[in-house]
Amino acid sequence: ENGLSWKQWAWTHEEKYKELEKLGLASVRDWVKNGILFVCEGNCIDLNQAKDFIVERSKVVNLQSIAADQAYTGNMFTDLENEGIVMFKISQSPRFLTPFIRDFETDIKKKALFHQNDPVLSWMASNVLCLVKGNNLILTKQSKNTKIDGIMSGVFARTCWVLAPYNQKAEPTVEVW
């Protein structure tokens, strides 16, 4: 009624997972156990595994579209389009994202963005540093050992929802991968 509900699943790889454990992020084990963080073997995320998860989720939720920076999705972007999923190419340029980051921030301040107490998102939010360069905002991480991808995906998802031609008819729920 009063905002957007935000559900997300996070992905990492074994090397990063071990790194997070060494940094003292003990709750990372619980995230995996509770099915909100998936760990791929090796030193990179298996995009095919992520794609298969998205396709399966699209069969049980009202998935309307996915926003992504195509530069970082390999063939997954095209593969998901071939599965009939509407994909929005999002530019990570500060000039493009700044108005959407401002809207995202406004939603947070108005308490109109609900992430269902997701501990991964809470951790990522604590890692965000917002830089102001001229009229632009840039979201970056505070240190090399942290992650903010979930927050960026939330900005992307909200951007997609705003720009989607059917946003007036859409259910006010955004699922972020």
Side-chain angles (χ1 to χ4, degrees):
E1 288 179 20
N2 300 318
L4 294 173
S5 178
W6 178 6
K7 174 66 179 152
Q8 165 174 297
W9 292 269
W11 296 79
T12 193
H13 52 80
E14 284 178 320
E15 284 188 19
K16 179 53 93 173
Y17 177 81
K18 290 173 186 173
E19 203 177 291
L20 294 173
E21 281 188 312
K22 285 180 187 173
L23 291 171
L25 195 58
S27 53
V28 75
R29 287 184 210 118
D30 291 332
W31 300 346
V32 173
K33 188 170 95 178
N34 293 328
I36 55 177
L37 175 65
F38 296 94
V39 181
C40 299
E41 292 179 12
N43 63 356
C44 64
I45 293 173
D46 182 341
L47 294 179
N48 286 321
Q49 191 178 353
K51 177 196 62 128
D52 292 344
F53 179 84
I54 293 168
V55 170
E56 287 306 309
R57 289 297 300 159
S58 73
K59 294 174 183 175
V60 294
V61 298
N62 183 15
L63 177 61
Q64 296 181 16
S65 58
I66 294 176
D69 182 339
Q70 192 174 9
Y72 298 100
T73 59
N75 292 333
M76 187 169 74
F77 200 99
T78 305
D79 291 347
L80 289 170
E81 284 182 322
N82 291 339
E83 290 285 343
I85 296 172
V86 176
M87 300 295 292
F88 278 89
K89 295 175 188 170
I90 300 289
S91 168
Q92 288 202 52
S93 79
R95 186 172 169 200
F96 174 78
L97 278 183
T98 292
F100 300 107
I101 292 171
R102 290 188 198 284
D103 290 345
F104 190 78
E105 180 184 31
T106 299
D107 283 349
I108 292 169
K109 287 179 178 176
K110 290 183 350 189
K111 298 185 180 187
L113 187 59
F114 307 99
H115 71 62
Q116 304 168 14
N117 296 317
D118 183 315
V120 178
L121 284 174
S122 294
W123 173 69
M124 288 184 183
S126 74
N127 299 327
V128 173
L129 180 63
C130 185
L131 304 176
V132 179
K133 291 200 176 181
N135 293 326
N136 295 317
L137 299 178
I138 300 168
L139 298 184
T140 189
K141 53 188 180 176
Q142 292 184 18
S143 75
K144 69 178 183 123
N145 294 321
T146 61
K147 298 300 258 175
I148 66 165
D149 302 76
I151 302 303
M152 290 305 298
S153 68
V155 171
F156 280 22
R158 192 188 180 290
T159 301
C160 180
W161 185 75
V162 168
L163 295 178
Y166 47 76
N167 67 15
Q168 298 303 316
K169 299 175 191 167
E171 292 292 321
T173 300
V174 177
E175 294 217 8
V176 181
W177 289 278

